[in-house]
Amino acid sequence: MIQKILIANRGEIALRVIRACREMGIKTLAVYSEADVQSLHVQLADEAICIGGPRSADSYLRADRIISAAEIADVDAIHPGYGFLSENAKFAAQCESCNIKFVGPKSKSIQMMGDKSVAKDTVRKAGVPIVPGSDGPVDSEAEAVKSARKIGYPVIIKAVAGGGGRGMRIAHNDVSFAKEYHVARNEAEKAFGNGAVYIEKYIEKPRHIEFQILADSHGKVLHLGERDCSVQRRHQKLIEESPSPFLNADLRKKMGKAAVRAAEAADYENAGTIEFLVDAKGNYYFIEMNTRIQVEHPVTEEVTGIDLIKQQIRVANGEKLDFDQGDVTWTKHAIECRINAEDPARNFIPSPGTISLYYAPGGPGVRIDSHAYSGYAIPPYYDSMIGKLICFGATRKIALQRSYRALSEYLIRGIKTTIPLHKAIMSDPVFIDGKATTAYMEDFMSRTPTDLF
Ligand code: ADP
């Protein structure tokens, strides 16, 4: 039985895991960098160990130090959260070999789905539609151009090791392709230490719709419905909701089954996400699997009533999922707004600094997952997300009204945030009508005066 968990992360997700552990009677060990001494996760965990300097490379990415901390404090399991080492197959394997349970899938599944072109090949063989593209990575410009022409422009060049929307480039013809191919390779090399890229057909104005998977170590694989994450900026999600205003029951059923097949093909265990692009006609294409808990998991928790972090821990403990696909119901609508320390009026420039005043909204149907508080100094070293506002209710309309109401109550002074931007989106007719595709943000920004946010 798991009695103590090390949380190999920081920020709101570290708090989220601590909260689940506390409710389950499991002890927690926080690890932190020198820049995070004042962080809430350090204060709320039962124990905390400093693992190094402020830069992620000196702390949250130091697998060796994290494993040492786990051994010193005698923990049974490590929860990696998202980002950092969460999708690092080597780290998961190290945990396995040190007899520490990794709260996530087996290292083999992480490796398989972490290479995006292997992942596509794996799910295609399981009968899941994929975006037409190159057969694996394209290693020379000549080979790449040939492949792009065969697929047909526009195409998107993507990093095999990609993540977080980085290393992605769109090309509309041979000339732009030649340039973007090298830019993408360089970006991928810098961001991931792996310059390999592959090519896909660029789907115009699709929706990003992903399915939450939960699988145990006894062969049961279920899906918990979808999240529509079409509101993105530079391929990074800003707003997520469930159910998707685009899916009908029939398409949901088909895509859910495809998602389960994709997870089964990866011999998957624990929580994961199958991401699809869906075109205007309802054709859906697998793009990737995220082999970890996602930022937007609370949206699914609120509509299904299932606590994903607790389920992750139970699965890691070897327990069986005690419900079946037919037991999963979607009784609410939930919308998540990512609150980032950024200035939307100035091209989303990061806005680290000290929060002079923090007041979070409350009332019915409002959930905040955040590590921010009055007086908290946001370190400049990590990502700019300082919280998530999840609003939910019986209908999409209520969730929208609640989101607007809660955003209006939310006070964060001393830094710039995305709160005013979210308010503007919640009152935008295109978003309210449920018509947002991945092209939405660019259009919204071009037609909305920046003094609105
Ligand atoms: P990452 O792992 O970097 O997040 P993804 O493969 O998940 O990359 O893609 C992120 C986003 O990029 C998608 O949600 C979508 O908006 C856009 N995108 C990716 N592939 C395509 C494609 N073939 N056509 C159109 N847009 C795409």
Side-chain angles (χ1 to χ4, degrees):
M1 283 300 278
I2 295 176
Q3 280 167 4
K4 190 171 178 185
I5 293 185
L6 179 154
I7 298 131
N9 217 299
R10 63 181 299 284
E12 68 85 19
I13 192 63
L15 285 190
R16 173 71 189 89
V17 178
I18 291 171
R19 286 172 173 151
C21 288
R22 198 142 279 171
E23 288 173 16
M24 295 172 87
I26 295 170
K27 291 250 173 308
T28 53
L29 169 69
V31 291
Y32 63 99
S33 76
E34 285 161 9
D36 271 340
V37 178
Q38 300 300 329
S39 242
L40 265 191
H41 78 285
V42 177
Q43 296 168 46
L44 287 194
D46 296 310
E47 291 170 55
I49 296 183
C50 180
I51 49 166
R55 291 182 328 134
S56 308
D58 297 328
S59 47
Y60 299 106
L61 290 172
R62 286 291 299 262
D64 55 338
R65 293 190 184 161
I66 292 169
I67 302 250
S68 299
E71 286 182 332
I72 290 167
D74 200 20
V75 308
D76 313 296
I78 295 184
H79 195 302
Y82 50 69
F84 297 127
L85 294 170
S86 62
E87 293 182 283
N88 185 313
K90 218 170 122 193
F91 179 61
Q94 268 175 306
C95 293
E96 284 160 16
S97 66
C98 293
N99 251 332
I100 300 167
K101 292 190 169 94
F102 179 78
V103 184
K106 293 180 286 260
S107 56
K108 251 181 23 211
S109 308
I110 300 181
Q111 190 162 21
M112 194 191 285
M113 300 317 258
D115 181 314
K116 290 192 176 195
S117 66
V118 174
K120 282 180 75 176
D121 214 37
T122 307
V123 307
R124 184 182 50 79
K125 286 184 187 140
V128 177
I130 58 169
V131 185
S134 58
D135 260 344
V138 280
D139 294 329
S140 72
E141 189 184 319
E143 188 196 341
V145 173
K146 220 168 106 188
S147 170
R149 282 188 188 152
K150 199 170 138 207
I151 296 162
Y153 291 108
V155 297
I156 182 164
I157 308 160
K158 297 169 83 170
V160 163
R166 283 174 302 176
M168 260 188 268
R169 291 286 173 177
I170 298 152
H172 291 271
N173 51 49
D174 281 0
V175 178
S176 68
F177 185 86
K179 184 175 143 248
E180 301 296 358
Y181 173 73
H182 293 289
V183 175
R185 282 192 75 98
N186 281 337
E187 250 177 47
E189 181 64 51
K190 261 200 216 134
F192 313 110
N194 175 0
V197 296
Y198 64 104
I199 304 169
E200 264 175 13
K201 178 85 187 159
Y202 182 64
I203 314 278
E204 311 242 23
K205 303 192 175 174
R207 284 175 182 262
H208 174 118
I209 297 177
E210 58 185 33
F211 276 73
Q212 176 67 52
I213 292 290
L214 198 54
D216 65 19
S217 55
H218 305 272
K220 191 188 274 187
V221 183
L222 307 176
H223 78 82
L224 271 52
E226 81 280 7
R227 294 180 289 256
D228 192 321
C229 314
S230 300
V231 179
Q232 310 178 344
R233 184 179 165 270
R234 299 206 172 142
H235 310 302
Q236 287 193 33
K237 298 161 189 167
L238 264 175
I239 296 173
E240 301 96 346
E241 67 176 305
S242 185
S244 164
F246 183 77
L247 289 196
N248 56 34
D250 193 40
L251 194 49
R252 175 170 301 115
K253 205 166 180 182
K254 268 202 270 183
M255 289 178 70
K257 279 192 176 156
V260 167
R261 278 205 304 279
E264 281 169 348
D267 191 18
Y268 204 75
E269 175 180 322
N270 217 292
T273 299
I274 305 288
E275 298 191 333
F276 295 101
L277 293 182
V278 187
D279 70 17
K281 291 188 189 131
N283 297 309
Y284 59 92
Y285 309 94
F286 168 91
I287 46 170
E288 68 162 341
M289 177 170 202
N290 288 317
T291 54
R292 54 168 160 81
I293 194 76
Q294 304 255 117
V295 171
E296 57 272 27
H297 76 274
V299 158
T300 301
E301 293 187 322
E302 295 310 329
V303 296
T304 61
I306 294 168
D307 186 315
L308 279 162
I309 307 291
K310 287 185 185 168
Q311 292 295 343
Q312 282 197 293
I313 295 170
R314 289 198 185 111
V315 166
N317 206 22
E319 292 171 40
K320 285 184 175 163
L321 292 175
D322 59 1
F323 55 94
D324 295 313
Q325 191 63 60
D327 301 324
V328 181
T329 50
W330 303 280
T331 53
K332 285 187 204 143
H333 195 100
I335 299 175
E336 173 179 282
C337 294
R338 294 194 188 194
I339 313 301
N340 297 337
E342 291 169 356
D343 186 354
R346 288 175 57 218
N347 207 22
F348 293 83
I349 183 172
S351 181
T354 299
I355 298 176
S356 53
L357 174 73
Y358 180 86
Y359 174 80
V366 176
R367 164 174 171 181
I368 304 255
D369 281 19
S370 171
H371 57 293
Y373 57 87
S374 289
Y376 175 59
I378 302 163
Y381 307 99
Y382 315 107
D383 97 21
S384 60
M385 199 183 73
I386 51 165
K388 308 183 303 205
L389 169 69
I390 305 100
C391 293
F392 48 92
T395 63
R396 183 166 191 266
K397 192 171 173 197
I398 294 173
L400 276 166
Q401 290 167 335
R402 251 177 206 157
S403 297
Y404 189 85
R405 186 270 293 171
L407 287 160
S408 310
E409 282 175 30
Y410 213 157
L411 291 183
I412 302 181
R413 299 263 190 268
I415 55 157
K416 295 281 186 194
T417 75
T418 46
I419 291 172
L421 171 79
H422 285 301
K423 268 182 83 178
I425 295 175
M426 291 303 144
S427 42
D428 180 48
V430 181
F431 184 74
I432 291 174
D433 277 358
K435 295 277 180 330
T437 68
T438 61
Y440 171 77
M441 270 310 282
E442 211 176 314
D443 169 61
F444 174 81
M445 293 304 284
S446 71
R447 62 182 163 77
T448 310
T450 50
D451 57 353
L452 264 186
F453 42 80

